[in-house]
């Protein structure tokens, strides 16, 4: 018991556990555990036949953390920086990783990037479609209701926020576009009626 | 080629993309045969990982066939069937030389605080991932392994992250015989961690979650005792009662940044992005263990700060072990366990999603619909 020197007893003996659970205790000895101790020199370098690898050609100025002494010999080239979001992100990389500014600017870059692409997509044959891209169809094909009612799930409380997060900006953008279009139409109409006014 | 592409928080679609090219002499191009969606992908999908660019292809769990190799590749041949660890790593930097493949310093120019990961934003190096028909695999002589003949494909793909990570998480708990081990989260990682705790001699394994179907799996797959935290006023107090008021010897956090159970913590981090992650499970772990205990953290948190109860951790004399899993280091021993039937990762697969339906796949996994535990992704031509 806790208030005495003894550990509270375990209900099952090792023999019982071994019988109930296949493999119980096979890694009891820490020497059988591949990650103990944490640092273990790997004589074979895991197949690498270099001490320092050849360097991947840098075909465009690759952004990097200022906490790195050099551009790493290998790097990803999946989505090079571009547009306004690219400028924001490039700026973010001027701050070290320990700084809030670094991460907050990257988060801002992410939001701007999304809007740049949403707008750009409207000019393509395949505009962004929040309905298909959120996969909400699965609500109907994969028991959306039955997966939720009568359960003890606590995530339902904030799942109601998800459509707001996804749909909110679209609705706001549509609203702004509507208001903008309406005032534009009105001022055009005003110019038009003014134009028709006879000049004395 | 067809590939999953991120279109902003909660939005993904399948696009026609350029097939990846060899960019370094030790690169290989792999044609994907089977991939998976990981709980970590949900952090990207929800827009929580800084520098996740539009058009990014996710996916760090995949197996496939070598389609092309760079000029310096010695070990792999075109046509080899390979499993690829989720870490991109070089094999010889200070970290790799010591087995910390997940901390490789030669593959991620964007950050020094995290290594390289396939399909996991530019913060982990800017590599497109495996939820696609083809993927670029750097350091082909170091990362991938040929899939052993006896191994089923669904086991192989799940050994590239989830299974290795759960097994690693249990090791970081420094379990000794008879320990009471508390696992937070009955997702794929938590279920494997719980099952692995027994291999290391645990005396009791307790799994905590709020999803009944996953807790059911914790009882059958992981032979664990289970608690649905929504059924108790205070799960920490319940754990004290369940351990004779001592507290558990070891806790493993397999939940991470989007933990539920505290509305304010969840919303300030997962929805408003004001914290690096919601540390609800981590704080429960800190408060539920006994003094002098060890906490293993497998759950992923973002680079911003989180409201962690560090005072309790300090006063209780806790030891923390953490890391992204160095996958390949687990493999030889883990392969034996799979072969002996001690761990059967494919038992956790609940959904097999065609790549073309990936948006629905993400929604089902994210909203935890239809009893989903682990979804696999099947590329168009596979
Ligand atoms: N360290 C690594 O190398 C590594 C590798 C893979 C995954 N991960 C991380 O591990 C975590 C789990 O991954 P997964 O694939 O199992 O994800 P998952 O989302 O399927 O599982 C998380 C589980 O935690 C449960 N949960 C939520 N709040 C909880 C709470 N307060 N207490 C207990 N349970 C709670 C959820 O209901 C869910 O079942 C993620 O954060 C992921 O990013 C880390
Ligand atoms: Zn993962
Ligand atoms: Zn390295």
């Amino acid at each position: 018991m806790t208030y005495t020197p003894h550990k509270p007893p375990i209900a099952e003996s090792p023999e019982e556990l071994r019988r109930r659970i296949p493999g119980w205790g096979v890694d009891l000895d820490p020497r059988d555990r591949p990650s103990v101790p944490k640092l273990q020199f790997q004589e074979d370098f895991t197949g690498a036949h270099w001490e320092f690898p050849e360097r991947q050609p840098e075909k465009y100025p690759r952004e990097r953390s200022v906490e790195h002494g050099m551009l790493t010999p290998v790097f990803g080239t999946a989505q090079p920086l571009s547009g306004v979001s690219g400028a924001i992100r490039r700026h973010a990389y001027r701050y070290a990783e320990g700084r809030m500014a670094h991460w907050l600017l990257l988060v801002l870059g992410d939001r701007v990037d999304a809007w740049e692409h949403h707008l750009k997509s409207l000019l393509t044959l395949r505009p962004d479609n929040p309905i298909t891209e959120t996969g909400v169809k699965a609500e109907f094909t994969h028991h959306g209701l039955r997966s939720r009612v009568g359960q003890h799930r606590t995530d339902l409380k904030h799942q109601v926020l998800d459509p707001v997060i996804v749909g909110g900006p679209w609705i706001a953008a549509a609203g702004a576009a509507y208001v903008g279009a309406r005032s534009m139409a009105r001022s055009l109409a005003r110019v038009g009626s003014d134009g028709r006014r006879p000049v004395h | 080629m067809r590939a999953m592409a991120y279109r902003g928080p909660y939005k993904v679609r399948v696009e026609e993309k350029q097939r990846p090219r060899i960019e370094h002499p030790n690169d290989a191009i792999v044609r994907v045969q089977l991939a998976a969606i990981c709980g970590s992908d949900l952090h990207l999908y929800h827009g929580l990982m800084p520098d996740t660019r539009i058009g990014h292809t996710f996916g760090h769990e995949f197996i496939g066939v070598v389609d092309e190799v760079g000029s310096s590749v010695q070990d792999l041949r075109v046509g080899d069937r390979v499993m690829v660890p989720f870490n991109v790593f070089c094999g010889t930097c200070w970290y790799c030389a010591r087995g910390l493949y997940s901390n490789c310093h030669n593959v991620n120019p964007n950050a020094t605080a995290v290594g390289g990961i396939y399909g996991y934003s530019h913060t982990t190096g800017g590599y497109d991932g495996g939820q696609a028909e083809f993927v670029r695999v750097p350091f082909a002589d170091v990362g991938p392994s040929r899939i052993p003949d006896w191994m089923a494909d669904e086991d192989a793909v799940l050994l590239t992250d989830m299974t290795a990570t759960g097994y690693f998480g249990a090791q970081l708990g420094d379990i000794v015989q008879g320990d009471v081990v508390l696992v937070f989260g009955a997702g794929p990682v938590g279920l494997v961690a719980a099952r692995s705790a027994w291999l290391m001699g645990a005396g009791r394994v307790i799994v905590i979650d709020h999803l009944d179907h996953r807790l059911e799996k914790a009882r059958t797959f992981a032979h664990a005792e289970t608690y649905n935290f929504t059924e108790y006023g205070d799960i920490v107090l319940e754990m004290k009662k369940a351990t004779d008021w001592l507290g558990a010897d070891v806790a493993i956090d397999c939940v991470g940044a989007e933990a539920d159970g505290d509305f304010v913590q969840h919303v300030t981090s997962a929805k408003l992005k004001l914290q690096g992650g919601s540390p609800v499970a981590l704080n429960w772990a800190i408060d539920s263990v006994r003094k002098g205990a060890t906490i293993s953290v497998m759950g992923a948190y973002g680079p911003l700060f989180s409201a962690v109860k560090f005072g309790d951790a300090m006063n209780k004399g806790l030891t923390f072990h953490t890391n992204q899993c160095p996958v390949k280091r687990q493999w030889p021993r883990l392969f034996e366990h799979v072969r002996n039937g001690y761990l059967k990762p494919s038992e956790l697969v609940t959904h097999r999603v065609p790549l073309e339906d990936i948006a629905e796949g993400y929604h089902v996994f994210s909203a935890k619909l239809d009893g989903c535990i682990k979804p696999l992704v099947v590329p168009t031509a596979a």
Side-chain angles (χ1 to χ4, degrees):
Chain A
M1 229 271 266
T2 314
Y3 301 92
T4 70
H6 309 288
K7 191 173 170 17
I10 292 292
E12 292 170 285
S13 69
E15 290 65 43
E16 285 169 314
L17 286 168
R18 204 169 275 129
R19 229 173 297 130
R20 181 165 76 88
I21 296 156
W24 183 87
V26 290
D27 285 342
L28 205 47
D29 185 342
R31 276 171 303 189
D32 286 329
R33 303 178 188 176
S35 286
V36 181
K38 187 183 271 183
L39 300 181
Q40 285 177 41
F41 204 79
Q42 311 288 311
E43 299 294 343
D44 65 348
F45 290 150
T46 329
H49 36 87
W50 51 79
E51 274 216 347
F52 181 76
E54 282 179 71
R55 307 197 68 150
Q56 176 181 334
E58 184 184 3
K59 295 193 174 147
Y60 55 89
R62 180 63 163 81
E63 76 284 358
R64 66 174 166 89
S65 165
V66 292
E67 292 183 42
H68 260 305
M70 61 175 189
L71 179 64
T72 54
V74 159
F75 50 88
T77 53
Q79 287 80 34
L81 295 176
S82 71
V84 179
S85 58
I88 296 171
R89 284 167 171 149
R90 198 172 285 288
H91 189 69
Y93 280 98
R94 291 168 51 176
Y95 298 94
E97 293 162 57
R99 305 275 295 276
M100 278 280 277
H102 176 77
W103 301 109
L104 292 179
L105 283 167
L106 287 177
V107 169
L108 176 67
D110 288 354
R111 299 293 96 87
V112 172
D113 190 12
W115 277 102
E116 282 180 312
H117 278 85
H118 290 331
L119 293 175
K120 229 187 268 169
S121 81
L122 299 179
L123 305 174
T124 67
L125 291 176
R126 207 176 164 211
D128 273 312
N129 179 339
I131 311 268
T132 55
E133 290 175 3
T134 49
V136 287
K137 194 178 83 190
E139 290 289 332
F140 307 103
T141 55
H142 288 79
H143 314 295
L145 203 58
R146 210 198 309 154
S147 305
R148 292 192 175 91
V149 294
Q151 313 283 322
H152 296 100
R153 302 178 52 165
T154 178
D155 51 345
L156 303 183
K157 277 187 242 141
H158 57 74
Q159 274 191 8
V160 297
L161 295 175
D162 294 351
V164 180
I165 290 176
V166 179
W170 286 86
I171 293 166
Y178 172 73
V179 170
R182 201 179 51 175
S183 63
M184 177 99 82
R186 276 195 188 146
S187 56
L188 282 178
R190 217 175 301 126
V191 169
S193 58
D194 280 3
R196 254 181 273 117
R197 199 181 296 153
V199 185
H200 295 283
Chain B
M1 67 160 184
R2 305 293 284 164
M4 168 273 178
Y6 174 68
R7 294 300 300 175
Y10 295 83
K11 294 186 290 294
V12 300
R13 70 183 189 190
V14 180
E15 284 179 1
E16 201 57 38
K17 270 196 170 187
Q18 231 168 25
R19 180 185 179 281
R21 282 168 296 110
I22 301 278
E23 299 187 47
H24 177 277
N26 211 248
D27 279 358
I29 305 297
V30 169
R31 179 165 58 80
V32 178
Q33 291 184 310
L34 199 56
I37 308 179
C38 175
S40 301
D41 291 327
L42 294 179
H43 309 323
L44 295 180
Y45 178 67
H46 296 149
L48 298 183
M49 184 69 162
D51 214 355
T52 303
R53 301 184 189 171
I54 303 301
H56 198 58
T57 297
F58 301 169
H60 54 266
E61 298 176 289
F62 59 92
I63 60 171
V65 182
V66 177
D67 199 62
E68 189 185 346
V69 291
S71 56
S72 83
V73 175
Q74 300 179 355
D75 184 42
L76 288 187
R77 303 256 178 284
V78 169
D80 282 348
R81 297 192 65 240
V82 290
M83 47 205 288
V84 183
F86 79 81
N87 326 103
V88 182
F89 63 109
C90 77
T92 55
C93 68
W94 193 93
Y95 301 97
C96 287
R98 286 157 185 80
L100 297 183
Y101 310 138
S102 46
N103 306 106
C104 178
H105 215 59
N106 273 339
V107 291
N108 178 7
N110 297 75
T112 56
V114 58
I117 303 178
Y118 291 95
Y120 209 68
S121 86
H122 273 67
T123 294
T124 69
Y127 300 92
D128 267 339
Q131 290 164 12
E133 287 181 307
F134 293 91
V135 59
R136 171 191 171 208
V137 173
F139 296 121
D141 282 329
V142 180
S145 283
R146 281 182 206 83
I147 301 173
D149 291 334
W150 54 267
M151 193 181 283
D153 282 4
E154 293 196 352
D155 287 326
V157 71
L158 298 181
L159 280 158
T160 60
D161 176 357
M162 163 202 123
T163 313
T165 301
Y167 182 57
F168 177 65
Q171 291 171 64
L172 293 200
D174 279 346
I175 296 166
V176 301
Q177 183 169 337
D179 270 353
V180 177
V181 179
L182 217 54
V183 178
F184 289 89
V189 173
L191 291 167
V192 173
R195 183 68 185 80
S196 303
W198 293 120
L199 304 182
M200 290 159 215
R204 263 178 96 183
V205 178
I206 302 172
V207 177
I208 295 170
D209 202 303
H210 67 106
L211 299 173
D212 288 326
H213 70 272
R214 290 184 168 203
L215 290 171
E216 168 68 31
K217 205 63 166 184
R219 292 188 288 274
T220 55
F221 174 87
H223 311 281
E225 296 166 51
T226 59
Y227 285 80
N228 184 323
F229 66 77
T230 61
E231 289 173 25
Y232 303 90
D234 184 338
I235 193 66
V236 170
L237 191 56
E238 207 57 36
M239 288 304 106
K240 293 287 165 66
K241 286 185 201 162
T243 54
D244 244 335
W245 305 100
L246 184 64
D249 301 292
V250 174
I252 312 176
D253 169 2
C254 301
V255 182
E258 296 183 67
D260 267 302
D262 180 320
F263 189 77
V264 173
Q265 287 269 27
H266 181 91
V267 170
T268 52
S269 43
K271 307 290 178 200
L272 300 175
K273 290 119 180 152
L274 299 174
Q275 296 195 59
S278 152
V280 180
L282 187 54
N283 285 341
W284 285 351
I286 289 170
D287 287 336
S288 307
V289 292
R290 65 163 164 77
K291 282 162 269 193
T294 298
I295 295 186
S296 158
V297 183
M298 287 299 102
Y301 294 85
L304 287 179
F305 48 75
S306 302
V308 177
K309 300 182 73 177
F310 217 76
D312 285 359
M314 186 276 170
N315 287 321
K316 291 177 76 168
L318 304 184
T319 300
F320 285 84
H321 288 304
T322 69
N323 209 349
Q324 296 282 347
C325 175
V327 171
K328 199 165 181 181
R329 187 160 155 189
Q330 318 308 317
W331 277 357
R333 183 71 178 165
L334 197 49
F335 285 9
E336 284 176 42
H337 293 335
V338 171
R339 197 166 196 180
N340 289 328
Y342 302 153
L343 271 165
K344 185 87 185 112
S346 53
E347 284 175 11
L348 300 183
V349 175
T350 49
H351 292 73
R352 293 165 185 84
V353 186
L355 179 60
E356 294 298 321
D357 297 340
I358 193 108
E360 283 74 30
Y362 267 92
H363 184 74
V364 167
F365 186 48
S366 166
K368 297 345 194 220
L369 302 185
D370 204 25
C372 188
I373 297 177
K374 188 73 184 178
L376 297 183
V377 178
V378 189
T380 326

